[in-house]
Amino acid sequence: MTIATPIYMDYQSTTPMDPKVLDAMMPYFVDTFGHPASRNHSFGWAAEEAVDKAREQVASLIGGTAREIVFTSGATEGINLAIKGVAEMYAEKGRHMVVSVVDSRPVLDVLKRLERDHNLEVTTVPVDKNGRVAAEDIKNALRPDTILVSVMMANNEIGTVQDMAAIGTVCKEAGVIFFTDASEAAGKVPVDVQAMGIDLLTIAGHKMYGPKGVGALYVRRKKPRVRLAPQIDGGGHERGMRSGTINVPGVAGLGEACALCEQLMAEESKRVAALRDRLEQGILAECDEVEVNGDTDHRLPHNTNLSFAYIEGESMLMGMKDVALSSGSACTTATLEPSYVIRALGVSEELAHSSIRFSLGRFTTEEEVDFVVKQVIESVNHLRAMSPLYEMAKEGIDLSTVQWKGD
Amino acid sequence: MAYSEKVLDHYNNPRNMGSFGKDEDGVGTGIVGAPECGDVMKLQVKINEDGVIEDAKFKTFGCGSAIASSSLATEWLKGRTVEQAMAIKNTEIVDELDLPPVKIHCSVLAEDAIKAAVSDYVDNKDKNED
């Protein structure tokens, strides 16, 4: 059987858009083009109606209400607005924030800037070997002047899902605002801002079969009412929190993407998890010394992150040229540092260099999984035959005792 | 990042991949790099009594450019004298493989591996002659 290549297994980088989402967007480019803030003609009303519908659809997916949804350009903007908005609005209350070590890069970068330029203090909370944050550790990191806790709901590299309800409870008890980057979790696993005690939550359309360049920030209105200092000033759109003409087609697409995820989640998460397990088991059955990074009980259904001992990640990807994947290897980034997420698990730098993320999704097929398993096995055999480390390990040398000349 | 044709060719068809016994006569072994840096190269040369490299082998843990650099090095080493081998510069490897700036360290490592392997042979020979 022939199979169409290249095969896409990088859904956590971005997803293809669901054709139904495109259908939902199409009317809002040419025909229904009005400005949703135009209050005195039908063009504006039609656009407003589309935006209102999308607001309901987004709110429904995460258990919030429509009036708590602020549309943004994506998860990164939502992160900036949430964290900087809180830092500015609650400056008099305190200058301290708490973050998990495996939060997303934009969260860590925003906090770094606030630390450097705005006199904010940040406490970073570690994770266990599976990438989970203990609510107790969050509690111990809190201070009287803490104004925000940020814990990413599900990690983008290892797929570990956090115990949001437990962390939310800790934040509630302390009266601290709880923010989460849910861009990897929303639409894949159930999200409920009420049950999880979440005050601020960001999502991105392009991670859930919606369009790129659009996202949403949930901002709690009751118990407590969270207030944010806007980071983009202008016409006072989105209740003053995010000025700028709303991207109506994008927002309509985001709404439809959320509605589809809500409708399909139960069935889809089972199907995709079964494919993920088939992939993982297929590889583990044929290759020795492969580690699963992350938490096999609490993880996203569509992710597996594997470390292939004695093989460098980028060379693995090179061997699988018909498959789109991503690696924690330093060689695939500009920084020359291996993944900070994998390192935070206590995994050796060597194994961090050897990690590969497989992320599946709505359009992944069993044939594709079987093809990828075969390619992985071939690549592992090719590269291990070439690996001096594999040779040394097989000779019984403990690599951790070797004095390397490059050290 | 796109790889050059030559890097892909060495990756897919590595030249002289393998190992000599470390105690074989005339063999020099160089191991450079470190696993936590993401690159380890093992390069071996087999040198005859006239001081000419008869054969060379490599094994590499690292990215495609590191594999290609060491594979190319083994090709170049065969037939060279010890002095000629020591004169190989990393920039020649960069030029031959069209390595981009972020991969220059791979060629540096290959040059280091050549020097380490040849020096190992010279040291062993001196010891045996003592």
Side-chain angles (χ1 to χ4, degrees):
Chain A
M1 203 195 109
T2 55
I3 192 161
T5 55
I7 291 168
Y8 193 71
M9 275 207 187
D10 205 12
Y11 276 75
Q12 281 181 285
S13 164
T14 191
T15 53
M17 215 164 70
D18 192 305
K20 288 182 186 142
V21 170
L22 182 61
D23 291 343
M25 293 170 71
M26 286 308 281
Y28 302 103
F29 289 100
V30 175
D31 296 331
T32 309
F33 62 86
H35 194 306
S38 296
R39 289 287 155 81
N40 42 13
H41 53 66
S42 61
F43 295 87
W45 301 332
E48 193 184 21
E49 201 177 300
V51 171
D52 286 348
K53 181 183 170 197
R55 226 183 274 285
E56 295 283 354
Q57 288 169 316
V58 174
S60 171
L61 180 69
I62 59 171
T65 61
R67 296 183 70 195
E68 295 174 308
I69 303 301
V70 173
F71 289 115
T72 64
S73 65
T76 299
E77 188 193 327
I79 288 164
N80 274 267
L81 174 54
I83 300 178
K84 291 177 183 169
V86 165
E88 199 178 323
M89 186 60 79
Y90 296 86
E92 281 178 17
K93 191 179 171 224
R95 302 303 298 151
H96 180 243
M97 292 189 182
V98 174
V99 66
S100 90
V101 68
V102 295
D103 260 47
S104 63
R105 176 56 69 194
V107 169
L108 300 178
D109 280 357
V110 167
L111 289 171
K112 210 176 287 170
R113 176 187 289 277
L114 292 173
E115 249 182 326
R116 193 187 60 207
D117 299 342
H118 298 276
N119 197 26
L120 190 92
E121 286 177 48
V122 177
T123 301
T124 305
V125 173
V127 289
D128 66 14
K129 64 179 180 16
N130 297 333
R132 279 201 123 200
V133 179
E136 194 63 24
D137 287 345
I138 297 286
K139 192 175 184 174
N140 293 336
L142 295 177
R143 310 192 319 207
D145 62 339
T146 306
I147 52 175
L148 183 115
V149 168
S150 173
V151 176
M152 191 180 195
M153 191 177 296
N155 183 265
N156 53 317
E157 291 185 40
I158 52 175
T160 299
V161 180
Q162 304 297 343
D163 187 351
M164 299 304 282
I167 298 165
T169 302
V170 164
C171 295
K172 281 282 151 306
E173 282 169 8
V176 173
I177 295 169
F178 181 26
F179 165 70
T180 187
D181 174 358
S183 50
E184 301 294 335
K188 317 296 175 15
V189 291
V191 175
D192 184 343
V193 291
Q194 303 306 342
M196 294 170 170
I198 295 163
D199 301 313
L200 292 165
L201 173 150
T202 185
I203 62 168
H206 78 100
K207 299 255 186 182
M208 48 197 298
Y209 311 99
K212 292 172 180 62
V214 63
L217 180 68
Y218 163 83
V219 185
R220 178 175 287 280
R221 280 173 66 88
K222 271 188 200 159
K223 298 183 191 173
R225 179 188 181 89
V226 176
R227 296 166 67 222
L228 297 177
Q231 302 301 305
I232 298 176
D233 294 311
H237 311 93
E238 298 298 90
R239 303 198 318 283
M241 278 185 269
R242 203 279 191 178
S243 287
T245 303
I246 291 181
N247 169 6
V248 179
V251 160
L254 176 66
E256 181 66 15
C258 287
L260 282 173
C261 282
E262 191 174 352
Q263 186 192 324
L264 300 174
M265 192 188 300
E267 183 275 329
E268 185 168 279
S269 63
K270 261 189 223 142
R271 189 186 74 85
V272 175
L275 287 175
R276 186 266 320 273
D277 292 345
R278 185 184 177 93
L279 175 85
E280 200 174 272
Q281 285 155 14
I283 294 168
L284 294 175
E286 290 296 323
C287 304
D288 62 342
E289 301 204 53
V290 178
E291 296 285 332
V292 181
N293 296 312
D295 192 310
T296 48
D297 292 325
H298 307 282
R299 67 166 157 174
L300 293 172
H302 58 305
N303 162 289
T304 181
N305 186 305
L306 304 177
S307 280
F308 296 87
Y310 320 118
I311 296 174
E312 195 278 328
E314 188 193 334
S315 65
M316 262 296 275
L317 297 189
M318 203 172 155
M320 296 184 290
K321 58 183 190 309
D322 297 325
V323 189
L325 292 167
S326 126
S327 163
S329 153
C331 279
T332 57
T333 67
T335 60
L336 293 178
E337 291 288 325
S339 156
Y340 69 93
V341 173
I342 308 282
R343 292 287 292 130
L345 309 180
V347 167
S348 68
E349 283 203 36
E350 173 200 338
L351 274 181
H353 280 292
S354 305
S355 71
I356 307 277
R357 178 184 72 183
F358 301 81
S359 48
L360 295 67
R362 187 168 291 169
F363 307 108
T364 305
T365 65
E366 200 168 280
E367 288 72 32
E368 289 179 333
V369 166
D370 292 347
F371 181 89
V372 172
V373 167
K374 201 166 148 269
Q375 281 230 330
V376 168
I377 295 165
E378 278 171 16
S379 205
V380 165
N381 290 339
H382 177 64
L383 290 164
R384 283 203 175 145
M386 220 187 289
S387 170
L389 304 180
Y390 190 65
E391 182 181 70
M392 291 163 91
K394 290 292 151 190
E395 284 168 5
I397 297 167
D398 178 357
L399 295 177
S400 64
T401 63
V402 176
Q403 187 62 49
W404 300 102
K405 282 188 185 149
D407 277 357
Chain B
M1 181 180 49
Y3 299 99
S4 71
E5 290 286 325
K6 284 173 182 163
V7 168
L8 283 170
D9 183 41
H10 278 282
Y11 174 88
N12 289 317
N13 310 293
R15 325 287 200 268
N16 310 306
M17 194 257 286
S19 301
F20 298 121
K22 281 189 181 172
D23 303 324
E24 270 181 57
D25 279 349
V27 168
T29 302
I31 299 178
V32 297
E36 62 266 32
C37 305
D39 296 295
V40 175
M41 279 181 199
K42 184 181 88 166
L43 200 142
Q44 292 181 302
V45 288
K46 198 171 197 176
I47 300 176
N48 68 19
E49 289 177 356
D50 304 327
V52 174
I53 297 170
E54 280 185 335
D55 204 354
K57 285 193 185 295
F58 85 96
K59 283 203 173 191
T60 290
F61 161 85
C63 66
S65 303
I67 289 169
S69 296
S70 41
S71 171
L72 176 68
T74 58
E75 272 194 317
W76 281 358
L77 285 171
K78 286 194 203 179
R80 294 205 190 203
T81 64
V82 166
E83 289 73 27
Q84 287 166 339
M86 291 301 256
I88 293 174
K89 289 272 167 293
N90 81 292
T91 47
E92 298 171 61
I93 296 173
V94 171
D95 290 344
E96 174 66 18
L97 296 176
D98 294 329
L99 295 182
V102 294
K103 296 296 183 187
I104 287 175
H105 71 276
C106 299
S107 68
V108 173
L109 209 58
E111 185 188 319
D112 291 348
I114 293 170
K115 293 198 158 68
V118 173
S119 307
D120 182 56
Y121 162 81
V122 172
D123 290 351
N124 287 342
K125 198 170 139 220
D126 291 350
K127 253 182 251 163
N128 293 339
E129 282 168 4
D130 281 346

